[in-house]
Amino acid sequence: MKKIIPVITIDGPSGVGKSTLTYAISKKLKWHILESGYMYRITAFFILKYNLSLNKKIIFKLENLKFNFKIIRNELKIFFHDIDISNKIHSQKISMMASKIAKLPYIREWLLHTQRSYKKFPGLVTNGRDMGTIVFPDAILKIFLKTKFKIRLKRRFIDLQNRGFKIDLKTLNKELKKRDYQDENRIICPLKPAKDAIIINSTNMNFKETVQVSMKYIYKKLKML
Ligand code: DC
């Protein structure tokens, strides 16, 4: 019998805590990680850096996009021509461009194959917007994370400050709402829970509790494999 490669997907809006939960789960299970948002961010970085026009021909240019991932002191680092761009790709300018290009079918299709190539033994924990609905519809467990907007805004604000960006809360509030709207209302692969996803609302939970709740569902699923 062919053994399946198990995938756990964590989808949800920006600032909801997908990344931290992904890392916690992957550490416990010793599985691979895919942060699909990074792919949209790196693509956006490349488009902005070389001022590329948004049309189907862009894919030929994107084929030359070369970057490396490295884990340094438990942190995922992204290098573009040997330059560490890990913080750069988290700027608001890149976030807004990533959300803008995420509406384009040719960009999504181009990234789909790369995303699926991350499915490797012993398993994959991945996060994004459409991991459960489109990229890995056969995932063994699909989590959709939710939390109050105010909490997400604060988290994103602190994250940007820690990465060395200066932004006022009012602008961030406006941009985060715009990105939520774009991600939830685009025609293809909008942000929404898969029909078989479990919804975890972490508004009244701390991080440890969110991990505990998720692990309960995960162990239950793994026992059934
Ligand atoms: O997860 P993130 O904030 O790093 O993602 C940045 C943008 O990339 C997000 O606003 C929309 C897009 N994205 C997407 O459309 N689908 C995904 N699976 C992941 C990200």
Side-chain angles (χ1 to χ4, degrees):
M1 208 172 67
K2 209 175 148 198
K3 248 187 127 191
I4 69 146
I5 303 173
V7 177
I8 295 168
T9 60
I10 304 166
D11 286 309
S14 172
V16 76
K18 300 184 299 281
S19 292
T20 14
L21 182 61
T22 304
Y23 280 91
I25 295 173
S26 103
K27 207 170 165 193
K28 282 186 191 290
L29 300 177
K30 297 194 172 61
W31 285 10
H32 301 280
I33 285 184
L34 165 63
E35 296 232 42
S36 61
Y38 276 35
M39 298 196 166
Y40 289 90
R41 287 178 182 276
I42 292 166
T43 310
F45 169 85
F46 192 72
I47 290 170
L48 286 170
K49 186 171 171 63
Y50 295 105
N51 203 11
L52 304 179
S53 326
L54 296 178
N55 57 51
K56 275 187 187 171
K57 283 191 207 146
I58 201 175
I59 298 304
F60 299 111
K61 301 228 168 80
L62 291 175
E63 294 292 350
N64 298 320
L65 175 52
K66 287 210 174 25
F67 55 87
N68 297 312
F69 287 115
K70 278 185 205 159
I71 305 239
I72 299 177
R73 273 177 246 108
N74 276 332
E75 243 189 272
L76 185 67
K77 297 278 182 192
I78 295 128
F79 291 84
F80 180 72
H81 293 299
D82 291 334
I83 297 166
D84 184 352
I85 57 161
S86 325
N87 275 342
K88 226 177 209 167
I89 59 158
H90 283 89
S91 72
Q92 271 307 96
K93 198 172 168 193
I94 299 274
S95 298
M96 298 313 284
M97 185 53 136
S99 177
K100 186 176 169 184
I101 59 166
K103 285 191 250 178
L104 305 170
Y106 47 91
I107 297 276
R108 297 204 80 86
E109 203 177 307
W110 180 67
L111 288 177
L112 186 69
H113 307 288
T114 320
Q115 289 167 359
R116 288 192 174 146
S117 71
Y118 277 73
K119 184 172 159 179
K120 287 181 190 143
F121 280 114
L124 175 71
V125 192
T126 178
N127 69 51
R129 304 293 187 287
D130 61 340
M131 294 293 105
T133 49
I134 308 289
V135 186
F136 298 107
D138 54 351
I140 58 154
L141 184 72
K142 300 173 185 179
I143 296 174
F144 193 87
L145 260 191
K146 273 184 171 179
T147 203
K148 229 162 75 181
F149 180 79
K150 259 190 174 173
I151 299 177
R152 294 200 284 119
L153 178 64
K154 195 175 156 198
R155 223 181 250 155
R156 180 85 189 121
F157 187 66
I158 293 170
D159 180 49
L160 281 170
Q161 276 186 333
N162 289 342
R163 291 181 190 276
F165 295 109
K166 284 194 179 77
I167 185 161
D168 66 288
L169 201 59
K170 226 171 144 184
T171 311
L172 185 63
N173 184 329
K174 222 168 84 190
E175 291 187 351
L176 197 60
K177 278 187 181 145
K178 184 174 174 192
R179 191 145 69 98
D180 279 355
Y181 182 84
Q182 285 186 162
D183 293 347
E184 284 164 13
N185 294 286
R186 61 177 175 235
I187 296 163
I188 51 158
C189 319
L191 166 66
K192 64 170 183 193
K195 282 199 181 81
D196 49 350
I198 54 152
I199 315 272
I200 299 181
N201 189 331
S202 67
T203 303
N204 298 311
M205 287 185 216
N206 61 31
F207 176 60
K208 209 172 149 195
E209 287 165 336
T210 313
V211 176
Q212 274 170 354
V213 171
S214 308
M215 289 313 295
K216 249 192 205 165
Y217 283 109
I218 293 168
Y219 287 133
K220 206 168 143 192
K221 280 281 173 188
L222 290 178
K223 263 190 206 157
M224 286 157 56
L225 288 184

